[in-house]
């Protein structure tokens, strides 16, 4: 690991504590990486607005890969480098499918404005859907009766009970709608036991976000390190040469990666300690 030039970390459940604070050890490790001219990347499922809610300007990340790779943002220059959205035609087909299935879902406007969203309540009551809606009420609009929004979309979020069989069946049906999309599974960050099904353009992933930065900065992927804690971090950890999973990750993921302590025990600082 002596030639590492880029470190990419997930935020929630990895770099951040459960209360969304940043430990002193993690902050000191981030500063130390900067002194060694190692590029510091936050790769998160959060949209950029929600990134800024937990990462103030003085926290020295160099780049943000946000919305699971739908966008890449230069932190100090405050400019977007890359966005990738679901084409309007495919987005409309997805909306019509979810309406027919009568599920609870959110559809997010094209990045980088994807903190704005449309929502639809299905007939099955879902506490998790309502919790998410309350967090985003000021940026949420009811889906038009026509089911057409007239634009590209960044992503969809479908919330379902923690039922693996149901998730896999729906994933297969959704991915059959168009080769332009992919389905990503996430555990609920609200820690309520639901499965979040997220749908993006098929090229969107945290790993491809890091690849974009490697190409931009002339960094060999062999000189990268990644840290994550959940299903939506797998493509990041499979891309980075040296990859670490936090001990608070789902048990089913732990066999494939080197483990570091939990996010409550300075996981980030432990993973990058050999570089410092």
């Amino acid at each position: 690991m002596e030639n590492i030039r880029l470190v990419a970390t997930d935020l929630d459940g990895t770099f951040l504590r459960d209360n969304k604070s940043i430990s002193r050890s993690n902050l000191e490790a981030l500063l130390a990486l900067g002194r060694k001219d190692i590029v510091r990347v936050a790769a998160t499922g959060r949209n950029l607005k929600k990134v800024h809610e937990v990462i103030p300007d003085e926290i020295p990340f160099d780049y943000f890969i946000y919305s699971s790779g739908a966008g890449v943002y230069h932190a100090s220059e405050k400019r977007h480098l890359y966005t990738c959205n679901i084409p309007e035609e495919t987005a409309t087909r997805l909306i019509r499918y979810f309406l027919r299935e009568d599920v609870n879902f959110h559809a997010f406007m094209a990045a980088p404005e994807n903190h704005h969203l449309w929502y639809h309540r299905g007939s099955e009551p879902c506490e998790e859907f309502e919790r998410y809606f309350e967090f985003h009420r000021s940026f949420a609009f009811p889906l038009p009766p026509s089911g057409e929004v007239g634009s590209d979309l960044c992503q969809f979020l479908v919330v379902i009970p923690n039922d693996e069989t149901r998730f896999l069946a729906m994933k297969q049906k959704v991915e059959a709608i168009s080769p332009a999309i992919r389905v990503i599974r996430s555990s609920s960050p609200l820690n309520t036991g639901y499965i979040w099904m997220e749908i993006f353009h098929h090229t969107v992933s945290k790993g491809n976000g890091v690849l974009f930065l490697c190409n931009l900065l002339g960094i060999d992927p062999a000189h990268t390190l990644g840290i994550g804690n959940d299903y939506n971090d797998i493509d990041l950890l499979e891309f980075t040469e040296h990859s670490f999973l936090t001990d608070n990750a789902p048990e089913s993921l732990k066999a494939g990666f080197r483990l570091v302590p939990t996010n409550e025990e300075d996981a980030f600082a432990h993973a990058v300690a050999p570089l410092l």
Side-chain angles (χ1 to χ4, degrees):
M1 290 176 27
E2 60 187 17
N3 294 320
I4 297 298
R5 294 187 56 201
L6 181 151
V7 169
T9 180
D10 174 52
L11 291 179
D12 297 279
T14 303
F15 183 78
L16 300 173
R17 295 183 178 127
D18 289 345
N19 65 4
K20 309 309 177 188
S21 66
I22 301 169
S23 72
R24 178 180 295 274
S25 293
N26 283 354
L27 178 57
E28 289 176 349
L30 196 67
L31 292 166
L33 290 174
R35 290 192 292 270
K36 290 183 170 290
D37 294 323
I38 295 173
V39 177
R40 300 156 296 183
V41 180
T44 177
R46 288 173 174 261
N47 62 54
L48 193 60
K49 183 180 185 301
K50 294 190 74 64
V51 169
H52 290 316
E53 291 176 2
V54 294
I55 305 295
D57 286 345
E58 63 269 21
I59 303 301
F61 280 105
D62 300 301
Y63 298 92
F64 296 119
I65 296 170
Y66 63 90
S67 297
S68 296
V72 179
Y73 183 77
H74 194 299
S76 62
E77 296 182 3
K78 300 185 185 303
R79 64 186 179 95
H80 296 272
L81 303 178
Y82 169 85
T83 57
C84 182
N85 296 293
I86 299 170
E88 179 182 348
E89 180 183 359
T90 302
T92 300
R93 292 169 63 188
L94 286 165
I95 290 172
R96 290 173 177 167
Y97 168 78
F98 290 131
L99 290 176
R100 289 195 305 271
E101 293 295 308
D102 195 26
V103 298
N104 301 287
F105 71 95
H106 295 90
F108 296 77
M109 295 186 186
E113 299 301 318
N114 57 311
H115 55 284
H116 297 281
L117 62 144
W118 288 276
Y119 65 92
H120 173 77
R121 286 185 177 89
S123 59
E124 181 181 0
C126 179
E127 294 180 20
E128 180 83 344
F129 175 89
E130 299 301 336
R131 289 188 189 96
Y132 190 89
F133 175 76
E134 287 302 319
F135 277 120
H136 299 82
R137 177 187 290 271
S138 59
F139 297 99
F141 306 91
L143 191 73
S146 66
E148 296 185 8
V149 297
S151 66
D152 296 351
L153 294 177
C154 176
Q155 72 187 87
F156 288 79
L157 170 62
V158 183
V159 179
I160 64 173
N162 191 14
D163 182 333
E164 182 81 13
T165 301
R166 180 176 175 179
F167 169 79
L168 292 173
M170 185 178 291
K171 179 179 185 292
Q172 184 177 28
K173 291 178 181 178
V174 169
E175 290 184 332
I177 291 172
S178 171
I181 59 170
R182 68 187 295 247
V183 172
I184 299 175
R185 173 181 175 174
S186 295
S187 301
S188 165
L190 306 179
N191 296 317
T192 50
Y194 284 82
I195 293 175
W196 286 20
M197 174 183 287
E198 298 181 273
I199 299 98
F200 293 92
H201 188 275
H202 73 96
T203 62
V204 166
S205 73
K206 293 182 181 182
N208 280 343
V210 175
L211 175 61
F212 172 85
L213 288 174
C214 286
N215 290 336
L216 178 71
L217 302 172
I219 294 174
D220 187 331
H223 300 155
T224 60
L225 183 150
I227 313 154
N229 79 303
D230 204 357
Y231 297 99
N232 64 344
D233 296 316
I234 297 304
D235 52 27
L236 167 67
L237 302 182
E238 289 180 343
F239 176 83
T240 50
E241 183 71 16
H242 302 276
S243 302
F244 297 86
L245 194 72
T246 65
D247 200 37
N248 51 292
E251 290 297 323
S252 60
L253 300 181
K254 290 183 178 179
F257 302 99
R258 286 173 285 183
L259 294 180
V260 288
T262 71
N263 63 312
E264 292 289 296
E265 303 168 295
D266 306 320
F268 177 82
H270 279 276
V272 303
L275 311 181
L276 308 178

